Amino acid sequence: MFQPQIRAILRAACYGPVRVLIPMVTQPDELIAVRTLFKLARQELEHENVDLPEKLPLGAMIEVPAAAINVRALLEHCDFLAIGTNDLAQYVLAADRSNDALDNIYNPLQPALLRLLSHVISAGRRADKPVSLCGEIAGDTNFTALLLMLGLHEFSMHPSQILHVRDRLATLDQARLRRHAARVLRAHTHELVEEMLAGLTG
C-alpha cells in the first residue's frame, strides 16, 4: 500500500510545496527505510519520464516516548520534527486521554511531559531543523505561554483556533518567558507548574 502512496506524493510535489511526515516513529532505521522506498520510487518514476521535485522534506512525528528520548538520533535522518502531544502525553503518563476519571493524571502540565517536550524542541533547535507541535494544546490558549516558554515557534492547529492563538501570542513576552523556563521545568507537580505560569502571565 505504501509504494503507490509514495509515487503519488512524489507526483503531487511538483504542483506545490509538500512535506512527508512519518507517524509513530520509534527508531532511526524506520526513517532510513522510508528514505530508501522514496529513492526507489523516484528511480522508477524517472524511468517513466515523470516530472519530480528536486527535494522532498521528510519529517518524523514525535509521539512515542522512545522517539522523544532518542530524538537526536532521529534528527540525523530527517529534515523536520512534529510533536504529537495527544499520543505522547497518553504514552508518557500511561493514562487514557478519553477517560475523564484520569484527568488529574492526563494533564499536559505534568513535569515529565514538559521535560520531554523541552528536550525535543531544544534538540531540533541545536540541529537547526524545524520543530512544530500539534495536538489539542497547540490550539489551546491556556498553553500558549508554556509552549512559547519551551522555545516553540511553530504551532499546528485547526483553522478556527488560529486567531485566538495569534491574539494570545501578541500579549506575551517570549524573552521574559524563556528566562523562567529552567525554573518551571524543575517543578515537581503539575499544580506547581500551573501556579508558576499564572504568576508569569496573569
Side-chain angles (χ1 to χ4, degrees):
M1 289 179 64
F2 198 21
Q3 283 287 17
Q5 292 174 346
I6 289 174
R7 289 170 61 92
I9 291 169
L10 285 167
R11 288 173 178 269
C14 286
Y15 298 95
V18 172
R19 299 193 305 172
V20 178
L21 181 59
I22 308 303
M24 290 292 170
V25 173
T26 58
Q27 52 195 23
D29 61 356
E30 295 165 346
L31 293 172
I32 295 170
V34 172
R35 282 201 182 277
T36 300
L37 291 174
F38 268 93
K39 182 178 179 180
L40 293 173
R42 180 182 285 274
Q43 291 171 350
E44 293 173 359
L45 291 170
E46 285 174 347
H47 290 149
E48 298 171 17
N49 294 317
V50 174
D51 290 335
L52 297 170
E54 290 185 11
K55 186 178 180 182
L56 192 64
L58 180 70
M61 189 78 165
I62 307 299
E63 51 194 335
V64 175
I69 293 168
N70 199 29
V71 68
R72 292 174 186 169
L74 296 179
L75 281 163
E76 295 180 14
H77 302 283
C78 65
D79 303 303
F80 66 96
L81 300 174
I83 306 172
T85 54
N86 290 352
D87 283 326
L88 185 60
Q90 178 169 276
Y91 297 137
V92 168
L93 303 173
D96 183 352
R97 64 177 182 266
S98 64
N99 188 337
D100 293 339
L102 300 177
D103 278 351
N104 191 52
I105 298 174
Y106 184 83
N107 186 312
L109 298 181
Q110 289 282 6
L113 179 61
L114 297 187
R115 289 169 195 148
L116 266 187
L117 294 179
S118 177
H119 173 65
V120 173
I121 294 168
S122 298
R125 184 170 58 248
R126 285 193 295 270
D128 196 26
K129 295 184 179 180
V131 179
S132 63
L133 185 142
C134 56
E136 294 174 4
I137 68 172
D140 187 336
T141 54
N142 292 314
F143 300 103
T144 304
L146 172 67
L147 297 176
L148 207 61
M149 175 184 291
L150 296 179
L152 187 74
H153 294 149
E154 295 188 24
F155 298 68
S156 175
M157 67 194 73
H158 190 276
S160 64
Q161 298 165 313
I162 292 176
L163 291 179
H164 300 293
V165 173
R166 185 198 66 179
D167 291 344
R168 179 60 174 150
L169 285 168
T171 69
L172 299 170
D173 182 341
Q174 184 183 17
R176 177 172 177 266
L177 289 171
R178 291 287 291 154
R179 287 196 295 270
H180 293 276
R183 183 168 64 91
V184 171
L185 288 170
R186 287 195 297 269
H188 292 166
T189 66
H190 67 81
E191 291 91 350
L192 186 54
V193 171
E194 187 172 5
E195 181 182 318
M196 289 179 175
L197 285 174
L200 290 169
T201 61

